[in-house]
Amino acid sequence: MAKAPLRVAITGAAGQIGYSLLFRIANGDMLGKDQPVILQLLEVADEKPQKALKGVMMELEDCAFPLLAGVSAHSDPMTAFKDADVALLVGSRPRGPGMERKDLLEANAQIFTVQGKALDAVASRNVKVLVVGNPANTNAYIAMKSAPSLPRKNFTAMLRLDHNRAVSQIAIKLGKPVASIDKMFVWGNHSTTMYPDYRFATADGVSVRDAIHDEDWNNDVFLPTVGKRGAAIIEARGLSSAASAANAAVNHVRDWLLGTNGKWTTMGIPADGSYGIHEDIIFGFPVTTENGEYKVVEGLDMDTFSKEHIDLSLKELIEERESIKHLLS
Ligand code: NAD
Ligand code: LMR
């Protein structure tokens, strides 16, 4: 028997990321090739984005996706999030050249209080939320705090793009296929303080660290390449990453709902005290997933280098949280 459709709400649907994301979801890449979907698309009420959204909807229609069971356009989160099973919060301003992601807090934070409240009021009680809009960790925190009746654990931030970037850099360095890499992950904030930790990574079961055998490469090449990749793309394209961001969002939700089969991945999740991180923040952790739930990979050794990097990201997130405190009172 055919499955009942799942409702996926997407904000910023007429933006750059939206233009890649919607078609991937409608094609079954995110929820499975046997899972019909209804897309509930939110854009700001202005004429231009609403008109652009109509154009995107025409294109969705023209693809004749067999899994697409419905599409609707909204300018009010209270209708866009109604009964949503999955909510992808993309809509917000991207950074330009020379900006850090936290420079967007001022412009974007308010969006996530309004949308958190709307999710709280009308979404499915088990809605799975992924925040993509930057600064993603703190925006996810704002949405979570604005939705007290929903499970905290269902609010996540996207570090999957950083994870994918790290996996690709290692695969290139070793001359191995991406699929051979496991146990790679990224701690912390989706910002330049993120810490891609390759100490436990394997390629075809063999230690990546041993195979590379060059700690200078880690410090001088790997960490800055992954940490500054977003800025490098803005510099090259004049626009922030879009297709790779949409792909990472698809990967994040697919793995969350359909499972990683024992493989490790990275999700920005509410800290639960694992690895001594007791602060009320959203932090990138190594996780595995099964039956729609994620679980932090426990018991990994800490060394001084890693501890220092993790502390830096933690400190930055605490500062970001302090700077938006007034929005939550
Ligand atoms: P974009 O400017 O092309 O599109 C954003 C869209 O959001 C616009 O169409 C805009 O009208 C809409 N929007 C703005 N406020 C909204 C609101 N309150 N409700 C609904 N829609 C709203 O930007 P983009 O390139 O698609 O990027 C979107 C966000 O994603 C940016 O903040 C960017 O920095 C972030 N991003 C995050 C990651 C990540 O890894 N976490 C990766 C890439 C981009
Ligand atoms: C990215 O990592 O590509 C995005 O967060 C966009 C940005 O501002 O870097």
Side-chain angles (χ1 to χ4, degrees):
M1 205 174 75
K3 289 181 171 178
L6 288 175
R7 293 181 179 275
V8 181
I10 299 143
T11 74
Q16 284 204 88
I17 296 176
Y19 196 65
S20 286
L21 185 57
L22 306 186
F23 299 87
R24 296 283 305 274
I25 299 171
N27 192 44
D29 296 356
M30 186 171 87
L31 298 174
K33 297 286 184 189
D34 60 346
Q35 177 59 65
V37 289
I38 295 172
L39 300 181
Q40 303 181 170
L41 310 178
L42 180 69
E43 259 298 343
V44 285
D46 303 351
E47 196 187 330
K48 207 170 154 204
Q50 286 294 328
K51 192 171 168 207
L53 187 54
K54 294 279 178 305
V56 175
M57 289 168 74
M58 286 187 238
E59 287 203 71
L60 278 167
E61 225 170 79
D62 296 349
C63 290
F65 287 116
L67 290 171
L68 191 54
V71 189
S72 54
H74 304 261
S75 57
D76 180 353
M78 291 291 280
T79 59
F81 294 157
K82 183 91 181 82
D83 300 327
D85 299 294
V86 176
L88 305 176
L89 308 189
V90 180
S92 50
R93 210 183 118 188
R95 67 172 164 155
M99 290 171 80
E100 286 303 331
R101 297 181 187 97
K102 69 178 165 208
D103 297 336
L104 295 170
L105 257 185
E106 186 82 10
N108 290 340
Q110 190 76 46
I111 295 174
F112 295 86
T113 57
V114 173
Q115 294 186 355
K117 284 179 189 164
L119 285 166
D120 200 49
V122 300
S124 153
R125 297 301 82 190
N126 192 32
V127 62
K128 301 272 204 280
V129 182
L130 169 63
V131 176
V132 175
N134 277 319
N137 296 52
T138 298
N139 288 338
Y141 172 79
I142 295 170
M144 176 182 81
K145 296 305 258 190
S146 306
S149 73
L150 297 174
R152 275 169 58 84
K153 67 179 169 61
N154 284 9
F155 286 82
T156 67
M158 193 162 94
L159 276 96
R160 184 57 180 262
L161 182 52
D162 311 306
H163 173 98
N164 288 350
R165 287 168 173 165
V167 166
S168 269
Q169 289 306 312
I170 284 176
I172 292 165
K173 174 76 176 164
L174 292 176
K176 292 264 189 189
V178 161
S180 68
I181 314 291
D182 189 16
K183 302 191 170 143
M184 181 64 229
F185 60 90
V186 182
W187 300 100
N189 197 7
H190 175 62
S191 80
T192 44
T193 67
M194 75 180 79
Y195 172 46
D197 187 347
Y198 84 148
R199 292 174 302 143
F200 309 95
T202 56
D204 289 327
V206 174
S207 163
V208 161
R209 194 183 192 180
D210 290 351
I212 294 176
H213 199 63
D214 179 358
E215 291 300 313
D216 289 345
W217 178 80
N218 182 37
N219 204 31
D220 300 345
V221 181
F222 180 58
L223 298 186
T225 300
V226 177
K228 294 182 189 159
R229 188 67 155 194
I233 288 165
I234 292 169
E235 172 63 27
R237 257 173 44 88
L239 287 168
S240 72
S241 64
S244 57
N247 177 63
V250 165
N251 292 166
H252 177 115
V253 175
R254 186 199 59 214
D255 280 354
W256 189 359
L257 271 72
L258 303 182
T260 56
N261 295 319
K263 276 193 93 166
W264 299 8
T265 187
T266 306
M267 290 172 71
I269 58 173
D272 66 352
S274 300
Y275 296 98
I277 302 171
H278 295 281
E279 291 287 342
D280 189 16
I281 48 163
I282 306 273
F283 204 76
F285 281 99
V287 298
T288 55
T289 65
E290 201 177 353
N291 301 324
E293 302 293 339
Y294 56 78
K295 206 163 93 196
V296 174
V297 176
E298 301 284 1
L300 302 177
D301 284 343
M302 276 302 152
D303 56 19
T304 312
F305 182 85
S306 303
K307 185 95 186 58
E308 276 171 12
H309 279 267
I310 289 169
D311 284 351
L312 212 64
S313 218
L314 183 57
K315 184 167 168 281
E316 181 181 49
L317 280 167
I318 293 169
E319 281 166 13
E320 288 185 20
R321 185 187 67 194
E322 290 310 298
S323 74
I324 53 84
K325 219 166 50 186
H326 61 286
L327 288 175
L328 299 174
S329 54

